[in-house]
Amino acid sequence: MNAEEFPVFGSFPCTCHLVTEDLSMAYRHTDVQLSFESFDCGLGTSLSPDNEWVKLASLIPWQKLDEAYQSVFNKSAGRAAKPFRELYGAELIKQRTHLSDAKLVEAIRDTPAFQYFMGRTRYEAKIPFNASTLTYFRRRASKISDLIRNIITDEVREKLEAIVPGAHVLITDATAVPIKIQFPQDASLLNKARLNLEEMVFKMAQGLQVAIPRTYKRLAKATWTEYSRHPGRQAKARRKQIKAQLQYIRRDLRYVDELLSQGGEAHLTEWQINRLAVVRKVYDQQKYMYDNKTHSVPDRIVSLSQPYIHPIVRGKAKARVEFGAKIDCSILDGVIDVERFDFESFNESTDLAATLDHCWDTLGQYPDEVLADTLYRTRANIALCKELGIKLSGPELGRRPKHVDAKQRKLDTDAENRRGAIERKFAFLKGSLGLDLVNTRTAESLVVEVDSAIVLANLMLLLGIFSIPISVITHRAGKTYQINYKVITERPKSAA
């Protein structure tokens, strides 16, 4: 596993270990843009122009995204990769419908609107590609995921500003994106580590043709089985089990080091070598917590298969601790964007300066007002906003006065109600776009899913505005005329 720089989100880089692949394929770029009228449904009836996916297809700058995707490929020869629109369109459909990769390709096979959205010229009643293709696509797309999000976000912001110009109000807040993992328990984590080590010892001993060391795995299994059959375990029993598992792992690690010194690494797979490094760190963390009688340690690993996931203490009513990533988001003129993405917990109030700089880079000016919760009202942030001439909502620092001015109370209430727009957007991202519990195994997939949800949220906002019929009433020569129409967007020239 090679370490490489993870994509930069906002102004904050996140470094992770990624699985890289030999990109021994080329990408064939095409300038042909499919038109709605040229799509052959093949069922005797045409697609409805009011279909959600038909409308969304016209709002996405596919050609710009296709050009950005070409930067991922470093070869001009070899087997041609699938078109970007086909794979990214499938990813957006997956995010919207909450389907697995296997179910998604079947849904695409059965739905003409999905195939049109993916850029197909005609409907075909067959699976478009293997479900594993999306896994490799997400691995490539994660390198330019922030670029894809920025291209679409800028396009949406440009169209919204042309329709609804006005004062620039910035709303900012942070939320967690939990990942679906088994709830971590120290004893079960150590038991899995022990099983992995026993398999490595057996495989290396067989490969080196030496006697298999005695790992007492039958006794260890009996000890674990006896412990796991009693759900109402006391703290004393848990501590005893952790001590036993630590002893088994310490012995197995000693055998592993002896076999590695004899050249046993050649008989391990790349996955086992990476897992061994994770097991060593888990043992060190659990040994430290056991010796010091604590349940907290820096960069605590809670999953052997996903070591990049760490506990994020949120203090919410639903779950005090969540396991996944934390994102700092902002809404500027209705468009949501990601300011910071991290697998570690952080204080979002320290990101306000960078968020304001991002606003300057986007609009060429600072916002007129910032709506944020009380966590952001630090002395440093208040001084910064005052220096830049920005109004920062919220009550004054210090003790709350006995008599609050009724006018000021009304202004604070109004600001808090307007700040609720970002909470509603978070609810939409988690409830309708699948960020409430992401079922993914890799950091790359999580990045792409978060950015896809952000992109869809902005596109749905734009779609809602463009779908509203406009009625104009005018008077001329003593008569009243009412004109009803919808917003019409310019369509690129089609080759069909």
Side-chain angles (χ1 to χ4, degrees), residues 310-367:
H310 303 298
I312 298 179
V313 179
R314 298 283 292 162
K316 301 296 183 180
K318 180 180 179 181
R320 190 177 68 88
V321 180
E322 294 178 301
F323 305 93
K326 188 174 181 180
I327 56 174
D328 185 12
C329 297
S330 66
I331 294 181
L332 181 61
D333 300 338
V335 179
I336 187 171
D337 204 354
V338 178
E339 302 295 338
R340 181 175 180 178
F341 180 104
D342 207 328
F343 289 104
E344 299 291 341
S345 184
F346 59 85
N347 187 345
E348 55 267 26
S349 66
T350 59
D351 298 340
L352 183 59
T355 302
L356 294 176
D357 291 339
H358 185 201
C359 177
W360 175 272
D361 295 336
T362 303
L363 301 178
Q365 66 180 74
Y366 289 113

Side-chain angles (χ1 to χ4, degrees), residues 260-293:
L260 287 176
S261 64
Q262 302 175 32
E265 184 176 353
H267 302 284
L268 295 179
T269 64
E270 183 181 358
W271 179 89
Q272 288 177 319
I273 295 174
N274 296 329
R275 176 58 61 88
L276 179 58
V278 176
V279 169
R280 291 185 189 276
K281 188 172 182 180
V282 168
Y283 173 77
D284 292 338
Q285 291 181 350
Q286 294 293 331
K287 184 69 165 57
Y288 172 83
M289 290 190 290
Y290 177 83
D291 293 339
N292 295 274
K293 297 183 179 180

Side-chain angles (χ1 to χ4, degrees), residues 417-449:
N417 291 338
R418 289 185 292 132
R419 191 194 71 82
I422 196 168
E423 301 291 352
R424 292 188 291 272
K425 189 70 71 173
F426 286 158
F428 179 70
L429 289 171
K430 295 187 176 184
S432 300
L433 300 182
L435 293 190
D436 56 334
L437 192 63
V438 181
N439 189 8
T440 182
R441 303 292 290 179
T442 64
E444 306 98 289
S445 295
L446 177 62
V447 169
V448 173
E449 291 205 21

Side-chain angles (χ1 to χ4, degrees), residues 397-428:
L397 295 180
R399 182 178 297 178
R400 188 174 182 180
K402 292 183 179 180
H403 303 286
V404 182
D405 182 60
K407 184 177 180 181
Q408 184 61 40
R409 184 190 296 111
K410 184 177 181 180
L411 292 175
D412 293 342
T413 303
D414 177 68
E416 183 64 22
N417 291 338
R418 289 185 292 132
R419 191 194 71 82
I422 196 168
E423 301 291 352
R424 292 188 291 272
K425 189 70 71 173
F426 286 158
F428 179 70

Side-chain angles (χ1 to χ4, degrees), residues 41-90:
C41 190
L43 300 176
T45 58
S46 60
L47 287 176
S48 170
D50 294 328
N51 183 276
E52 179 183 56
W53 296 104
V54 172
K55 294 179 180 179
L56 283 176
S58 63
L59 301 178
I60 301 177
W62 295 111
Q63 187 171 350
K64 292 182 181 179
L65 298 176
D66 196 274
E67 294 172 358
Y69 187 54
Q70 294 181 67
S71 63
V72 177
F73 297 85
N74 54 8
K75 294 186 178 182
S76 57
R79 181 170 58 90
K82 295 285 185 181
F84 172 81
R85 176 170 177 174
E86 183 169 331
L87 296 177
Y88 190 68

Side-chain angles (χ1 to χ4, degrees), residues 209-272:
Q209 296 183 352
V210 298
I212 300 175
R214 188 173 183 179
T215 58
Y216 296 91
K217 60 180 182 181
R218 290 184 180 179
L219 178 60
K221 181 180 179 181
T223 304
W224 169 254
T225 302
E226 176 65 22
Y227 170 77
S228 61
R229 285 180 177 177
H230 296 80
R233 299 178 289 268
Q234 301 297 323
K236 185 176 180 180
R238 286 195 296 269
R239 183 170 175 83
K240 182 179 179 180
Q241 179 63 210
I242 291 173
K243 179 182 179 180
Q245 294 293 340
L246 287 173
Q247 291 173 342
Y248 292 132
I249 292 177
R250 181 179 60 189
R251 180 189 294 113
D252 292 344
L253 284 175
R254 186 174 72 248
Y255 292 149
V256 167
D257 291 336
E258 292 175 359
L259 294 171
L260 287 176
S261 64
Q262 302 175 32
E265 184 176 353
H267 302 284
L268 295 179
T269 64
E270 183 181 358
W271 179 89
Q272 288 177 319

